[in-house]
Amino acid sequence: MATSRSLLDRTFVVTLVLKGLDGVIELVAGVALLLVSPAQLEAAARALTRHELREDPHDPVAHWLLGYTGNLSVSATLFGAVYLLVHGVVKVFLVVAVLRDKLWAYPWLIGFLVAFIGWQAFELVRHFTWGLAALTAFDILIVVLTVREYRIHRARRRERAGAREAQAPAEG
């Protein structure tokens, strides 16, 4: 039993670190979107897909990327930047707090992820993609592990508080 618990504990830490790294990537992408114009994004997409389209003129990913970047507006780019920055900051902040064992951060992380799982489920119903399905499954795993860890840490703190009360001299 202790081995499976330590495996779950390690899995929890690894998934949290991965979620934190995802938040850092979102921060970098958000900053990049603030610094790069839609025209520059379209030019970069053309440069990135040029070779692939020479090999396969019908490549769906390359065409999707070109279509997507070709239709970007300044307001859409700004919205994307703000979304990524806010999402990344919250994610990194909560992951760091949970890794530092701040008990208050566990319910916040759970709530944050559940809200995004709900949004992702809505998007999956609208337009299914394997990538979003995998991300949603990963987020569900993190929620399950976070709930487990939160219960364990909360129970330990209650036990410690109860032990301190039992050791305190009776007032009278």
Side-chain angles (χ1 to χ4, degrees), residues 18 29 57 87 94 105 128:
L18 289 173
H87 195 249
L94 288 174
F128 181 86

Side-chain angles (χ1 to χ4, degrees), residues 73-111:
S73 66
V74 172
S75 62
T77 306
L78 181 61
F79 173 80
V82 170
Y83 172 85
L84 288 170
L85 288 170
V86 169
H87 195 249
V89 165
V90 171
K91 192 182 294 183
V92 169
F93 176 75
L94 288 174
V95 165
V96 168
V98 168
L99 288 172
R100 289 185 167 179
D101 201 25
K102 304 294 183 189
L103 199 59
W104 60 265
Y106 286 78
W108 282 100
L109 180 61
I110 293 164

Side-chain angles (χ1 to χ4, degrees), residues 22-94:
D22 177 46
V24 169
I25 291 168
E26 287 178 347
L27 289 171
V28 170
V31 169
L33 282 178
L34 287 176
L35 300 175
V36 178
S37 72
Q40 291 170 316
L41 286 172
E42 184 179 10
R46 287 195 185 289
L48 289 171
T49 58
R50 186 172 298 129
H51 177 72
E52 183 60 35
L53 288 173
R54 277 189 205 131
E55 289 182 10
D56 179 8
H58 303 291
D59 184 289
V61 175
H63 282 287
W64 173 84
L65 184 61
L66 289 174
Y68 185 78
T69 57
N71 293 320
L72 280 177
S73 66
V74 172
S75 62
T77 306
L78 181 61
F79 173 80
V82 170
Y83 172 85
L84 288 170
L85 288 170
V86 169
H87 195 249
V89 165
V90 171
K91 192 182 294 183
V92 169
F93 176 75
L94 288 174

Side-chain angles (χ1 to χ4, degrees), residues 82-162:
V82 170
Y83 172 85
L84 288 170
L85 288 170
V86 169
H87 195 249
V89 165
V90 171
K91 192 182 294 183
V92 169
F93 176 75
L94 288 174
V95 165
V96 168
V98 168
L99 288 172
R100 289 185 167 179
D101 201 25
K102 304 294 183 189
L103 199 59
W104 60 265
Y106 286 78
W108 282 100
L109 180 61
I110 293 164
F112 177 73
L113 290 173
V114 165
F116 276 95
I117 289 167
W119 175 80
Q120 291 163 208
F122 173 74
E123 288 298 315
L124 281 169
V125 169
R126 285 185 50 219
H127 181 71
F128 181 86
T129 65
W130 285 107
L132 187 56
L135 176 64
T136 304
F138 183 69
D139 285 347
I140 290 168
L141 172 66
I142 293 173
V143 167
V144 168
L145 293 172
T146 304
V147 167
R148 175 188 168 276
E149 288 292 318
Y150 178 59
R151 288 179 177 160
I152 290 169
H153 289 282
R154 200 174 59 190
R156 283 185 192 148
R157 289 195 182 174
R158 284 184 185 150
E159 286 174 13
R160 281 184 257 154

